[in-house]
Amino acid sequence: MATEIKLPELGDGIESGDILEIFVSVGDTVSEGDDIVEVETDKASVPVPSTVTGTVASINVESGQTIAIGDVLITVDGGAAAPEAPATPAVEAEPAPAPAEPEVQPEPVAAIPEPEPAPEPAPEPAPAVEAPAPVAATPAPAPVVQPTSADSGDIAAGPAIRRFAREVGVDLANVTGSGAGGRITREDILEVVRQANQQVTAPATTQAASSTSAPASKAPGEPGTDAFGPVHVESMPKIRKTIAAKMHESWSSAPRVTNFDDADVTDLEMIRRSSKQDYLDQGIKLTSMPFIIKSVALALRNNPKLNAALDMDAGQVIYKDYVNVGIAVDSDRGLVVPSLRSADSKSISDIARDLGTLAESVRSNNFGLDDLRGSTFTISNLGAIGGTYSTPIINVPEVAILLVGRTRKLPVVIDDEIEIRQVMPLSLSYDHRIVDGGDAARFLNEVIGYLQAPSRLLLAP
């Protein structure tokens, strides 16, 4: 009996998704729980498992296609070879991925240097003494590491490995697996990247010395040209479309005002640095962010207008009795905002531990949709990259967002004396439809008070 496997509900407000990759082919045997496709939604890419055991009779979608919730992904002829599922681990001729693959925990992609494309050497041999002819105005980069092939269902690699290969630009068809039964591992992909780097280093150095042409572009996407010169064109991923839509909604619906202020965090930095090694011994990296999150969470308790949501259609203001702080994390897929739940009731060490887990999950693309829901206020840490003040965009339907700049040493007048102090710049944007200037100033003053007297944070309930 044929069974249709449909795209399941992926979360509140999610109506469709894009097919990133198909892991099965017609005739494959799948077991219940095996991943059959990977779908990119507004916030995350998630694998969709099979709900039955049987043989794939038809595939109703293709890579890149946008499908709605409830659309048929594949049809499975049930009752076929359910007992054979455990006996199919990585036979070279078997196209189905091995069942029940353990999830690989990838390292942050940021730690993997992406190889830069190098100009392809001229095909005709150049004399050793004579200067080579000038290179063409638009040199084609040598595709040492090829983009991942869309038709890779017959490759023994799981969803996490396929995703990692796609992110670093490696074609799995060119990778020899060293795992059990020829299965491709993360180290196999890294080895391909290393070899590609070694291959392009020497030619790139030679051509850089002998050519006056512009350096190879680091822009993503496919190379092309327009009326004025070479370009790269990239299809906008669904998460970037969603970010664009949310930013436009915020800009056009929430009248935003931004307050700028500074916090003297000299004492906080002394406490943090003196405690840093103790936290490292527990496997926790102690930055200033846990103190900022705790300060904001405590201040939100006493300033409910900034811990609210505005529903204009219903004519209501919803004041949240819980404090969930969204943390903006810069990732390869765009800006992702996971939610740190009940931040006001957690200790500094608990916040530091949870913050590290959230950031690692986002950067390795190993998070679920539930991790992105429920925040009542957002913090963006620009200081980790650089910069002082900014005007952050409110993450509607929230009504405020705090941007933290880079802490720097400044001369400060204290009791008519000039002292060098550690100063942290703060930028608070708020929705003026519900938050007045006085509300914002009182909230920001309370946050600054906690940061300038960090012992209050350590003693707070």
Side-chain angles (χ1 to χ4, degrees):
M1 178 180 176
T3 301
E4 293 181 339
I5 300 180
K6 301 179 180 181
L7 183 63
E9 292 286 345
L10 298 175
D12 296 338
I14 296 178
E15 300 177 352
S16 64
D18 293 345
I19 300 295
L20 283 183
E21 193 164 359
I22 301 171
F23 301 136
V24 296
S25 303
V26 174
D28 288 353
T29 298
V30 295
S31 298
E32 182 178 352
D34 286 352
D35 292 335
I36 54 174
V37 299
E38 185 177 18
V39 178
E40 184 181 43
T41 68
D42 295 349
K43 291 294 186 179
S45 56
V46 293
V48 177
S50 174
T51 55
V52 296
T53 296
T55 303
V56 178
S58 65
I59 296 176
N60 302 77
V61 294
E62 58 184 21
S63 296
Q65 179 181 350
T66 299
I67 62 172
I69 301 299
D71 284 356
V72 178
L73 299 172
I74 67 172
T75 302
V76 174
D77 189 2
E84 295 180 10
T88 58
V91 178
E92 191 167 306
E94 180 67 50
E101 179 193 24
E103 179 69 21
V104 178
Q105 296 295 334
E107 300 173 4
V109 175
I112 309 302
E114 184 172 354
E116 298 182 9
E120 185 174 2
E124 64 277 7
V129 178
E130 297 294 329
V135 182
T138 310
V144 179
V145 178
Q146 299 290 344
T148 305
S149 171
D151 185 15
S152 56
D154 57 345
I155 296 175
I161 294 299
R162 293 172 186 269
R163 183 184 305 117
F164 178 63
R166 185 167 58 249
E167 289 169 347
V168 298
V170 171
D171 188 349
L172 290 177
N174 298 330
V175 181
T176 301
S178 63
R183 200 157 192 78
I184 295 175
T185 66
R186 180 184 177 84
E187 186 59 34
D188 297 331
I189 297 174
L190 292 178
E191 183 59 30
V192 172
V193 174
R194 296 188 192 104
Q195 292 177 3
N197 275 326
Q198 293 172 1
Q199 292 174 10
V200 302
T201 299
T205 304
T206 302
Q207 290 201 5
S210 60
S211 175
T212 58
S213 61
S217 172
K218 297 182 181 180
E222 295 295 326
T225 58
D226 62 12
F228 304 98
V231 298
H232 278 71
V233 180
E234 181 185 36
S235 178
M236 184 181 289
K238 196 172 187 68
I239 188 172
R240 178 54 60 184
K241 293 178 183 177
T242 302
I243 292 173
K246 291 289 287 185
M247 294 301 97
H248 182 267
E249 178 188 359
S250 176
W251 185 264
S252 58
S253 65
R256 180 193 59 184
V257 180
T258 304
N259 286 8
F260 305 103
D261 215 327
D262 294 316
D264 185 339
V265 293
T266 307
D267 294 341
L268 186 152
E269 281 298 298
M270 290 178 59
I271 293 176
R272 186 186 69 83
R273 289 172 181 171
S274 63
S275 305
K276 185 162 59 173
Q277 188 58 48
D278 295 335
Y279 279 80
L280 282 176
D281 293 341
Q282 304 175 45
I284 302 173
K285 183 179 180 180
L286 184 62
T287 66
S288 59
M289 272 300 287
F291 297 93
I292 298 169
I293 294 171
K294 183 69 172 180
S295 300
V296 167
L298 292 177
L300 287 173
R301 284 183 182 175
N302 300 325
N303 297 271
K305 279 191 176 181
L306 285 93
N307 197 51
L310 190 60
D311 186 346
M312 291 297 293
D313 293 335
Q316 295 177 335
V317 178
I318 300 96
Y319 296 98
K320 308 296 178 67
D321 293 331
Y322 53 89
V323 177
N324 295 341
V325 179
I327 310 298
V329 179
D330 185 27
S331 75
D332 291 340
R333 299 181 63 245
L335 193 65
V336 180
V337 186
S339 177
L340 199 156
R341 310 289 172 81
S342 304
D344 58 325
S345 61
K346 292 184 176 180
S347 65
I348 296 295
S349 60
D350 289 337
I351 293 175
R353 184 181 294 105
D354 292 349
L355 182 63
T357 301
L358 285 175
E360 173 68 17
S361 298
V362 168
R363 293 188 176 117
S364 61
N365 200 22
N366 187 30
F367 59 93
L369 295 174
D370 285 341
D371 296 327
L372 310 179
R373 298 194 186 109
S375 59
T376 60
F377 185 97
T378 298
I379 298 176
S380 180
N381 184 12
L382 183 65
I385 302 174
T388 50
Y389 304 100
S390 184
T391 53
I393 299 293
I394 301 165
N395 187 20
V396 292
E398 298 170 19
V399 297
I401 179 174
L402 179 68
L403 183 137
V404 182
R406 172 175 287 177
T407 299
R408 73 273 195 222
K409 292 182 179 180
L410 290 178
V412 178
V413 177
I414 300 178
D415 296 330
D416 295 331
E417 298 289 336
I418 297 179
E419 297 184 16
I420 302 300
R421 307 289 288 181
Q422 297 268 12
V423 177
M424 176 183 291
L426 303 173
S427 305
L428 176 70
S429 289
Y430 52 94
D431 188 341
H432 214 346
R433 292 177 298 176
I434 177 175
V435 181
D436 295 329
D439 301 320
R442 282 186 287 272
F443 169 79
L444 195 53
N445 286 340
E446 190 166 345
V447 171
I448 292 172
Y450 282 118
L451 293 174
Q452 295 187 162
S455 58
R456 296 174 60 197
L457 297 174
L458 303 176
L459 299 175

